[in-house]
């Protein structure tokens, strides 16, 4: 099972949305090849499932990546932490706070349990827009 992180992308706030990187590390002793988008399931502090809806951002081309042992890949995701969607409360928090998440590589059956660096609600019924995986642990500063 890979190691994983969820880290905010510094300077990415704008238009009511924020970006974060879901990063996964190859902890096996062999290279693997991946191509595509992450699976994501948002979780509360007690690991209770929260509403999650992953939207694939196809504005970036999907590439095939060979991931060496110990190397990282990441997917940049965008979500709203404070703008409620239809049916969500207009005042107070839009959804329960997401503290953990499960992340999955494309085509894999295993999920990696990760903890957010900054727990947050994910509005619009847990909608996250995900870019395809690319090599490296994180996005450049400022998204």
């Amino acid at each position: 099972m890979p190691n994983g992180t969820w880290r905010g992308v510094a300077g990415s706030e704008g238009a009511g949305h924020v970006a974060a990187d879901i990063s996964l590390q190859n902890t096996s002793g062999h290279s693997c090849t991946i191509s595509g988008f992450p699976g994501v399931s948002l979780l509360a502090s007690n690991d209770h499932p929260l509403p999650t809806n992953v939207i694939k951002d196809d504005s970036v081309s999907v590439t095939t990546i060979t991931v060496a042992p110990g190397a990282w890949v990441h997917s940049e995701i965008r979500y709203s932490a404070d703008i409620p969607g239809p049916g969500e409360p207009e005042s107070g928090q839009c959804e329960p706070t997401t503290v953990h998440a499960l992340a999955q590589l494309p085509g894999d059956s295993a999920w990696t349990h990760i903890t957010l660096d900054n727990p947050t609600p994910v509005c619009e019924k847990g909608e996250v827009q995900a870019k395809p995986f690319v090599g490296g642990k994180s996005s450049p500063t400022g998204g």
Side-chain angles (χ1 to χ4, degrees), residues 27-55:
T27 56
S28 76
H30 56 82
S31 293
C32 63
T33 302
I34 67 162
S35 178
F37 298 85
V40 179
S41 180
L42 304 175
L43 304 171
S45 61
N46 63 357
D47 285 341
H48 178 78
L50 297 175
T52 309
N53 181 25
V54 179
I55 307 294

Side-chain angles (χ1 to χ4, degrees), residues 71-82:
W72 290 81
V73 294
H74 72 274
S75 168
E76 184 179 298
I77 61 169
R78 290 193 71 76
Y79 56 92
S80 175
D82 54 15

Side-chain angles (χ1 to χ4, degrees), residues 31-113:
S31 293
C32 63
T33 302
I34 67 162
S35 178
F37 298 85
V40 179
S41 180
L42 304 175
L43 304 171
S45 61
N46 63 357
D47 285 341
H48 178 78
L50 297 175
T52 309
N53 181 25
V54 179
I55 307 294
K56 294 177 180 177
D57 179 350
D58 58 7
S59 69
V60 178
S61 297
V62 173
T63 59
T64 300
I65 306 159
T66 299
V67 189
W72 290 81
V73 294
H74 72 274
S75 168
E76 184 179 298
I77 61 169
R78 290 193 71 76
Y79 56 92
S80 175
D82 54 15
I83 299 177
E88 293 176 330
E90 293 296 319
S91 62
Q93 207 168 284
C94 61
E95 291 288 339
T97 299
T98 299
V99 176
H100 307 286
L102 296 175
Q104 185 181 55
L105 292 169
D108 198 350
S109 60
W111 291 86
T112 300
H113 188 274

